[in-house]
Amino acid sequence: MLGVVAAALGGPEVLQVTELPEPEAKPGQVVVRIRAVGVNPADVAATTGQIPLGPDTPPFSPGWDIAGEVVSAGPGTTEFGVGDRVAGMIPWYTTRGVPGGYAEFVAADTDWLVRLPDELDFVSAATVPLNAQTAHQGLALVSLAMLPAGSSILVTGASGGVGGFAAQLALRAGYRVLAQASHGDEQWVRDLGAHEVVPRSADLATVGPVGAVFDAIPLGEEAAAAVEDRGVVVVTRPTPPIVPSRGVRQELQLIRLDRELLADLVGQVAAGRLRTRVADTMPLTEAADAHRRVLAGGLRGKLVLTAG
């Protein structure tokens, strides 16, 4: 089978398309024919070694978010059958790319997968797991701040995958949402239901003050300037700590796989209660070019690699 591996640490040029052995399912696993795999900034960070706990040792395969069909099941594994449509998240923080999702077939633990509703296509499904779970879990940290009902929350990067889900979920939780949009993407963010759209160029010190910031970019100190005294800033990757002042607290949200939550979020997207969007699809063999496009920025939605 074809797969994409990072042969060394570095930029997109380290990604190589290569022939890999086809995986075999062990007990508690199924082999999934990958139809779509999301391209996330976390994938780019993995190839450059800029990930929590330090860089992995190449070769390894990037890729967290997968969608496809079950082609075989391991001994005694009955939860999924051949032909079942599934979506899932490879917990890359434990697999460290063995396996990763950039391959035609992946041997996946059944705990990584949920059934994919017929209403949701493979490509859209591959934009959900990492981004929507991160958003939901990050908002749980906001809720620990015990903000009163109707409190304002600022979501930075609301045009992006994590930020877009965070804005929608915050609205569902009853917050008044101020959502920061990239230039030219204001209408998309407005259509998500945000109460107020904040331009990317805005001085966030003039916004609010808000009870909390979901800092999906993250911006760090710039975002903290919008928070009221004793508020909270949730960041989605390790960043320099904010200057401790006014009692503002910084919380780091690192993804953890929650299968029950994943099934719920995939179901909400399938039912149209949560929105996602795809900027473009590219063949798996063009993974390096996909990483270049992520690094260049300006995407309106997620890039998804397709196979099979």
Side-chain angles (χ1 to χ4, degrees):
M1 70 168 186
L2 288 181
V4 177
V5 299
L9 294 178
E13 70 280 355
V14 305
L15 293 178
Q16 297 181 359
V17 180
T18 186
E19 192 72 27
L20 298 174
E22 290 199 12
E24 294 185 4
K26 298 176 182 179
Q29 291 185 326
V30 294
V31 172
V32 179
R33 181 192 300 275
I34 303 300
R35 298 298 188 183
V37 54
V39 180
N40 288 298
D43 302 336
V44 177
T47 64
T48 59
Q50 298 175 332
I51 54 176
L53 304 181
D56 199 10
T57 302
F60 57 80
S61 177
W64 294 66
D65 295 345
I66 58 174
E69 301 153 335
V70 174
V71 295
S72 65
T77 304
T78 59
E79 185 168 0
F80 298 105
V82 173
D84 284 349
R85 301 171 75 249
V86 293
M89 189 188 88
I90 297 173
W92 213 93
Y93 50 84
T94 59
T95 74
R96 307 292 281 189
V98 186
Y102 287 21
E104 290 184 312
F105 296 91
V106 168
D109 291 3
T110 57
D111 287 347
W112 302 350
L113 305 172
V114 299
R115 295 186 184 277
L116 183 59
D118 291 340
E119 296 82 5
L120 191 59
D121 62 273
F122 292 127
V123 169
S124 296
T127 70
V128 176
L130 177 61
N131 295 297
Q133 286 187 102
T134 298
H136 190 283
Q137 292 167 1
L139 285 171
L141 294 177
V142 171
S143 70
L144 293 177
M146 304 296 290
L147 300 180
S151 293
S152 294
I153 178 172
L154 169 67
V155 178
T156 72
S159 306
V162 173
F165 281 119
Q168 295 175 80
L169 291 169
L171 286 163
R172 296 271 294 274
Y175 295 114
R176 181 177 183 275
V177 175
L178 289 69
Q180 185 191 51
S182 299
H183 177 68
D185 235 359
E186 293 86 357
Q187 191 57 51
W188 161 259
V189 173
R190 192 172 291 111
D191 289 346
L192 295 179
H195 294 91
E196 183 178 336
V197 176
V198 179
R200 179 66 182 87
S201 59
D203 178 0
L204 296 185
T206 66
V207 174
V210 297
V213 174
F214 188 106
D215 194 12
I217 292 181
L219 297 172
E221 286 289 352
E222 182 183 348
V227 183
E228 64 191 24
D229 294 354
R230 294 175 296 282
V232 61
V233 178
V234 175
V235 295
T236 55
R237 65 173 181 265
T239 57
I242 61 177
V243 176
S245 64
R246 301 185 292 112
V248 174
R249 189 174 78 256
Q250 185 182 51
E251 298 283 355
L252 172 62
Q253 166 56 39
L254 294 179
I255 184 69
R256 64 186 184 280
L257 177 58
D258 181 334
R259 192 185 189 196
E260 183 176 347
L261 172 62
L262 177 58
D264 177 63
L265 293 167
V266 167
Q268 290 192 54
V269 175
R273 293 191 292 271
L274 286 174
R275 296 180 63 185
T276 187
R277 61 176 176 169
V278 175
D280 200 2
T281 59
M282 303 175 68
L284 177 66
T285 52
E286 295 180 11
D289 285 339
H291 278 217
R292 291 185 183 97
R293 291 181 65 180
V294 170
L295 286 167
L299 293 168
R300 301 286 190 253
K302 305 297 292 186
L303 286 180
V304 177
L305 301 174
T306 57

